[in-house]
Amino acid sequence: MEPQRERAGRHLKKGRKRRRGPNMLVGAAEAMRARWELEESQPEAKKARLSTILFAENCEVTHEQLCELLKYAVLGNSNVSKPSWCQLFHQNQLNNVVVFVLQGMSQLHFYRFYMEFGFLRKAFTHKFRLPPPSSNFLADIIGLQKKQTTGDLSKMVEGSLPSSSSKVSISLQNDPIIQKYGSKKVGLTRCLLTKEEMKTFHFPLQGFPDCENFVPTKCHGSITDNSPLFGLNCEMCLTSKGRELTRISLVAEGGCCVMDELVKPDNKVLDYLTSFSGITKKILNPVTTKLKDVQRQLKALLPPDAVLVGHSLGLDLRALKMIHPYVIDTSLLYVREQGRRFKLKFLAKAILGKDIQCPDRLGHDATEDARTTLELARYFLKYGPRKIAELNLEALASHQELLAAGQGPRNTAEVVQQSNTSVLECLDLMGQKLLFLTREAETSELSSSRNCQTIKCLTNKEVLEQARVEIPLFPFSIVQFSFEPFSYKLTEEMNKRMRSKWTEMSTVYAGPFSKNCNLRAVKRLFKSFGPVRSMSLVLETHQVQRPVTELTLDSSTLVKELEQDSENRGTIYLSGVNQTFKEHLLQQSNIFLGLEAVILPKDLKSGKQKKYCFLKFKTFGSAQRALNILKGKDWKLKGRHALTPRHLHAWLRGIPLESRRTPGVRVIPPPSEQQALQVLKVDHPKIAAWRWGRKIGKLYHSLSPGTLCLILLPGTKSTHGSFSGLGLMGIKDEEESTTPKICS
């Protein structure tokens, strides 16, 4: 046995690492992306964040485009293409991805109950429209192909193994793995080391003379084939008393790192073993965590039936000075002839098709090693001894030149470059699982997927409770809440009513005008504030105001809330913009502190720049100061704080003129909506919007910083018609950019 085992290599990072057409309204995408590329290469940026603007056609993001983002969030740009419709900076700083699905709700629900969705509208900066859902919305956003089955997924993973033509033919019966385990698949308990084996391979055991001061993990639960696996890996240094612990990493079965700590040795360090551990004196100097601290933490983290997985795990446990009864050692699981052991680097390449411990890295990454050993154990349990024996690992190890010549297994990049690769496959390549929480009544292709940990609950409340416990253990989670959808008749009535409401809020009365007034001059005056869709002459009005109807009684409150919407806050609207506005702005950009983006909409038919624009600032205060400056300059501009997000503007733009009512006509709510809102059952969407918006808010606040969070209202679809969905997106504690971006 080598004095130091092979581990994955990289400098220790402060946190756990994880792993496309331009809009006609927002052009110049290529120039912006070039700026993005430059910005992403800057070393000072430390946090993952999203681009200020979304490049989505007509502000709609397709399910395939959503899948692009999710795959990129998992793997990063080294293996998959960047999403076409947004930019995710510093993907490797993401800690988790959490997707909340509000099944049964649509964009209509969000704006019908806009006031009730308080947290969601204020917390998430990015909102976009979703097309009406298909029969399997979740399968679409995850990228599961309709014809793909679990078997197909297995074949892809099997494809990462060396082909049989590259192996030397041997008798499987003589393979040491077959001789130990047989040819049939085995369960988890069969892979555990026996007490006798642990004694033979020098694992720390209770009652042994050299383990008197060792701490037991107190894991004495009943072990089954469903007991949880935890990957463990430690790095050591050489001190005056021998090898001592300097770093510990623990990875849960979902692939999420639940513990990653640097440890200060008790004795004087003689050699940091940096080429193996990646640890230096500079890294350890500020560390205060001691061995007893990580012992206490590990005992608290492990459940009673926990199974530890590692490579030459006995050395790790001795460095920890801890005793654990249930272990799987991958250096012994993948049995080799004459008592020798395969290196972890070799097994990772030959079995999983992944490269670890790359020579261009200084030292080993304990988290990557822990995750790799966990993945090797799961592979053994899934495919069984016969599949491993067919690989002829002994011959491969003796002929490393075959791998160097490129005849070995495909690497991760070769697999994920396929356009039909799913998020599940990307996670599988990273040695991770997807968590799916849903109600028992819901059916989804996702539930039966091999690399998905599905937990079904009776109620939405149970789903929420499970989410609090399980989300921290998985790097990628989908939490689905299910709500009773409105009937099509009621939904259609609400849709008409909502559109009428927004139309009336966009209508003003002005007067009095004489019968002989110049309508062209009046229209020119109003157009200086923005585009005018139509104009009717009303002689009775004696002031400028919105119409007063049942639909607009709350317009003042609604306008204030729209100003506070996270997507509008910090954004100002300017009218009277001419072709030279952009040049003027760039010339004097130094006076507009905090300017992040300039959105210059174009006419969809002519392609000409419209006479209004939006300026996005980092803070509300910066926007207010800029508004005061712009109004005071001789640019003949009019402006105010923005009210309508771009996706909402696109939706309202689709209102047919003939659907707009004559101003001043009294509107009575449709009887079915009146009746539904009077009943206000506990599961009614109005109540659900208020209650679950708050509950999701509390859950969101419990997520770790650097979590990419998406809230998806999929939309509704029936034989009578369909309604678009809505997506909200953000990164917790996102670090905003201060670099202005021009979009024309």
Side-chain angles (χ1 to χ4, degrees):
M1 185 189 307
E2 293 127 338
Q4 173 68 31
R5 292 149 306 142
E6 294 69 25
R7 301 284 165 82
R10 225 174 12 220
H11 277 302
L12 179 68
K13 306 294 182 184
K14 289 186 179 179
R16 175 170 52 83
K17 306 299 178 193
R18 293 195 64 250
R19 311 272 169 231
R20 319 176 186 151
N23 188 352
M24 295 185 71
L25 290 175
V26 185
E30 295 305 318
M32 283 194 66
R33 288 196 180 99
R35 191 182 288 236
W36 283 340
E37 296 289 348
L38 178 63
E39 185 176 357
E40 191 169 29
S41 66
Q42 301 304 312
E44 63 270 18
K46 297 293 184 181
K47 295 182 181 178
R49 60 180 179 81
L50 291 158
S51 53
T52 305
I53 340 179
L54 306 181
F55 288 93
E57 184 67 30
N58 204 24
C59 301
E60 181 173 278
V61 175
T62 66
H63 301 150
E64 291 76 15
Q65 289 175 322
L66 201 54
C67 184
E68 286 177 4
L69 172 65
L70 296 178
K71 289 196 290 186
Y72 183 74
V74 173
L75 288 177
N77 65 347
S78 60
N79 293 312
V80 293
S81 301
K82 291 186 176 183
S84 60
W85 57 281
C86 70
Q87 182 76 352
L88 173 59
F89 295 105
H90 312 296
Q91 170 274 340
N92 64 341
Q93 298 294 331
L94 279 181
N95 283 326
N96 299 82
V97 179
V98 180
V99 181
F100 294 104
V101 180
L102 308 186
Q103 192 66 38
M105 292 193 178
S106 65
Q107 180 172 245
L108 174 62
H109 288 81
F110 185 81
Y111 285 106
R112 174 63 183 87
F113 305 114
Y114 183 81
M115 305 294 284
E116 284 73 21
F117 279 114
F119 168 76
L120 299 186
R121 58 184 164 84
K122 292 179 180 178
F124 292 91
T125 307
H126 307 280
K127 302 181 183 70
F128 49 88
R129 191 170 61 190
L130 291 169
S134 66
S135 58
N136 199 336
F137 172 76
L138 288 177
D140 289 342
I141 67 170
I142 292 300
L144 292 177
Q145 303 300 307
K146 291 183 179 180
K147 295 183 180 181
Q148 180 177 306
T149 63
T150 304
D152 296 324
L153 186 61
S154 301
K155 289 176 183 178
M156 169 168 266
V157 178
E158 289 173 26
S160 65
L161 295 169
S163 62
S164 58
S165 60
S166 68
K167 307 172 202 146
V168 178
S169 177
I170 61 169
S171 171
L172 294 183
Q173 296 305 316
N174 295 328
D175 189 282
I177 290 182
I178 298 294
Q179 290 180 347
K180 180 174 181 178
Y181 297 103
S183 59
K184 295 182 179 180
K185 292 182 181 180
V186 296
L188 182 153
T189 54
R190 179 67 179 84
C191 298
L192 296 175
L193 290 182
T194 64
K195 188 172 182 178
E196 202 59 38
E197 287 175 319
M198 293 177 72
K199 180 179 177 180
T200 300
F201 295 110
H202 310 292
F203 276 74
L205 293 170
Q206 196 85 39
F208 277 57
D210 59 344
C211 303
E212 290 178 356
N213 299 320
F214 280 37
V215 178
T217 58
K218 302 295 186 184
C219 293
H220 299 293
S222 178
I223 296 295
T224 69
D225 287 340
N226 295 319
S227 292
L229 299 175
F230 290 85
L232 176 68
N233 189 269
C234 297
E235 299 298 343
M236 284 79 83
C237 68
L238 188 62
T239 73
S240 57
K241 296 292 185 179
R243 292 185 182 271
E244 291 192 47
L245 183 70
T246 54
R247 183 184 177 189
I248 174 176
S249 288
L250 186 72
V251 177
E253 192 166 358
C256 183
C257 182
V258 294
M259 182 179 180
D260 188 11
E261 295 283 349
L262 288 170
V263 184
K264 176 85 79 175
D266 292 327
N267 299 287
K268 182 180 178 180
V269 178
L270 303 178
D271 188 346
Y272 287 93
L273 302 176
T274 306
S275 60
F276 294 103
S277 66
I279 305 297
T280 63
K281 181 179 181 180
K282 183 178 179 181
I283 291 174
L284 273 190
N285 270 343
V287 176
T288 58
T289 304
K290 305 293 283 186
L291 179 62
K292 62 181 180 181
D293 299 318
V294 295
Q295 289 175 338
R296 184 165 50 248
Q297 189 176 347
L298 192 61
K299 286 175 64 176
L301 279 172
L302 294 177
D305 61 340
V307 176
L308 291 180
V309 182
H311 198 78
S312 295
L313 186 58
L315 295 179
D316 290 323
L317 290 173
R318 287 192 174 275
L320 281 166
K321 293 187 177 180
M322 296 188 77
I323 297 171
H324 187 78
Y326 313 122
V327 297
I328 294 176
D329 192 325
T330 50
S331 71
L332 300 172
L333 183 68
Y334 288 84
V335 188
R336 195 174 183 185
E337 295 175 350
Q338 300 174 355
R340 294 177 297 166
R341 303 192 191 191
F342 292 114
K343 296 180 179 180
L344 182 60
K345 179 181 176 71
F346 168 77
L347 289 176
K349 184 69 174 176
I351 303 295
L352 307 174
K354 61 190 286 187
D355 294 304
I356 64 172
Q357 302 176 0
C358 299
D360 57 341
R361 297 172 180 170
L362 179 62
H364 295 173
D365 183 340
T367 301
E368 185 179 51
D369 278 0
R371 190 173 284 126
T372 301
T373 58
L374 197 57
E375 193 174 349
L376 285 168
R378 286 174 50 206
Y379 191 97
F380 192 97
L381 292 170
K382 174 175 174 55
Y383 293 107
R386 183 178 180 86
K387 172 62 68 176
I388 308 301
E390 288 173 351
L391 298 178
N392 194 359
L393 295 176
E394 193 65 48
L396 287 174
S398 302
H399 296 81
Q400 288 286 341
E401 65 272 12
L402 291 179
L403 297 176
Q407 299 176 24
R410 295 184 301 167
N411 58 28
T412 302
E414 291 178 281
V415 177
V416 299
Q417 285 299 329
Q418 302 182 42
S419 60
N420 62 351
T421 303
S422 72
V423 173
L424 282 172
E425 291 161 345
C426 291
L427 287 167
D428 193 60
L429 291 166
M430 300 294 292
Q432 300 167 350
K433 272 188 176 183
L434 181 148
L435 171 67
F436 179 39
L437 287 164
T438 186
R439 288 172 60 174
E440 285 188 356
E442 296 296 323
T443 58
S444 171
E445 185 179 339
L446 189 59
S447 303
S448 58
S449 299
R450 178 186 63 84
N451 199 40
C452 177
Q453 179 69 47
T454 301
I455 300 176
K456 292 196 172 185
C457 307
L458 293 175
T459 65
N460 283 334
K461 184 178 179 181
E462 287 186 27
V463 171
L464 183 71
E465 291 170 351
Q466 285 291 324
R468 290 196 185 102
V469 176
E470 298 292 338
I471 284 178
L473 301 177
F474 289 81
F476 195 111
S477 306
I478 295 179
V479 182
Q480 180 172 264
F481 301 104
S482 302
F483 304 99
E484 190 66 31
F486 285 148
S487 67
Y488 177 76
K489 181 180 179 181
L490 177 56
T491 304
E492 187 59 40
E493 288 175 350
M494 287 175 57
N495 187 42
K496 291 178 179 178
R497 182 173 168 81
M498 281 300 299
R499 292 191 169 197
S500 296
K501 180 185 181 82
W502 287 100
T503 301
E504 287 194 357
M505 287 182 62
S506 303
T507 303
V508 295
Y509 290 159
F513 296 114
S514 68
K515 294 182 179 180
N516 300 322
C517 71
N518 187 333
L519 289 179
R520 183 175 297 178
V522 173
K523 189 169 186 177
R524 187 164 55 248
L525 174 64
F526 278 100
K527 284 185 71 175
S528 68
F529 293 93
V532 177
R533 293 194 64 173
S534 65
M535 188 171 71
S536 301
L537 188 62
V538 180
L539 302 179
E540 294 81 5
T541 302
H542 291 268
Q543 57 185 327
V544 177
Q545 66 176 55
R546 287 189 175 89
V548 180
T549 70
E550 287 84 355
L551 294 179
T552 60
L553 288 175
D554 65 344
S555 62
S556 296
T557 303
L558 185 56
V559 166
K560 290 179 181 178
E561 291 298 326
L562 281 167
E563 286 182 342
Q564 297 301 313
D565 189 296
S566 62
E567 195 165 354
N568 295 328
R569 188 169 175 82
T571 302
I572 61 175
Y573 165 82
L574 293 176
S575 66
V577 174
N578 56 31
Q579 295 293 329
T580 61
F581 170 76
K582 182 167 63 175
E583 287 71 21
H584 289 167
L585 188 67
L586 288 174
Q587 289 170 5
Q588 303 184 48
S589 60
N590 60 315
I591 64 175
F592 300 111
L593 299 177
L595 178 62
E596 291 185 312
V598 182
I599 304 173
L600 301 167
K602 290 183 178 180
D603 187 274
L604 292 175
K605 293 182 179 179
S606 67
K608 293 182 179 179
Q609 181 180 311
K610 291 192 174 183
K611 295 184 178 180
Y612 65 90
C613 75
F614 296 91
L615 304 184
K616 293 182 73 72
F617 291 84
K618 188 171 184 179
T619 65
F620 179 82
S622 297
Q624 183 62 58
R625 286 191 294 272
L627 192 57
N628 295 335
I629 294 172
L630 288 165
K631 283 183 176 180
K633 283 191 169 290
D634 189 25
W635 287 357
K636 298 180 180 180
L637 298 172
K638 295 182 175 66
R640 61 153 298 136
H641 291 283
L643 293 179
T644 52
R646 290 179 56 226
H647 69 275
L648 178 59
H649 180 70
W651 182 41
L652 298 177
R653 215 172 40 218
I655 303 173
L657 287 173
E658 59 271 16
S659 73
R660 292 196 272 132
R661 299 178 293 101
T662 305
V665 175
R666 188 167 178 269
V667 178
I668 300 175
S672 54
E673 184 180 356
Q674 267 189 328
Q675 183 179 4
L677 294 178
Q678 285 170 359
V679 175
L680 286 182
K681 294 180 179 178
V682 71
D683 59 348
H684 187 278
K686 181 180 178 71
I687 299 286
W690 176 79
R691 175 175 296 167
W692 288 97
R694 292 183 55 175
K695 289 181 181 294
I696 291 173
K698 290 181 180 179
L699 186 56
Y700 174 81
H701 288 306
S702 71
L703 300 177
S704 62
T707 296
L708 173 63
C709 186
L710 289 90
I711 310 288
L712 303 180
L713 288 68
T716 58
K717 191 171 185 178
S718 68
T719 55
H720 302 288
S722 59
F723 292 91
S724 299
L726 181 72
L728 301 91
M729 177 173 66
I731 297 176
K732 190 178 178 189
D733 297 341
E734 180 176 350
E735 181 178 78
E736 297 293 340
S737 168
T738 56
T739 305
K741 303 177 180 69
I742 300 293
C743 310
S744 55

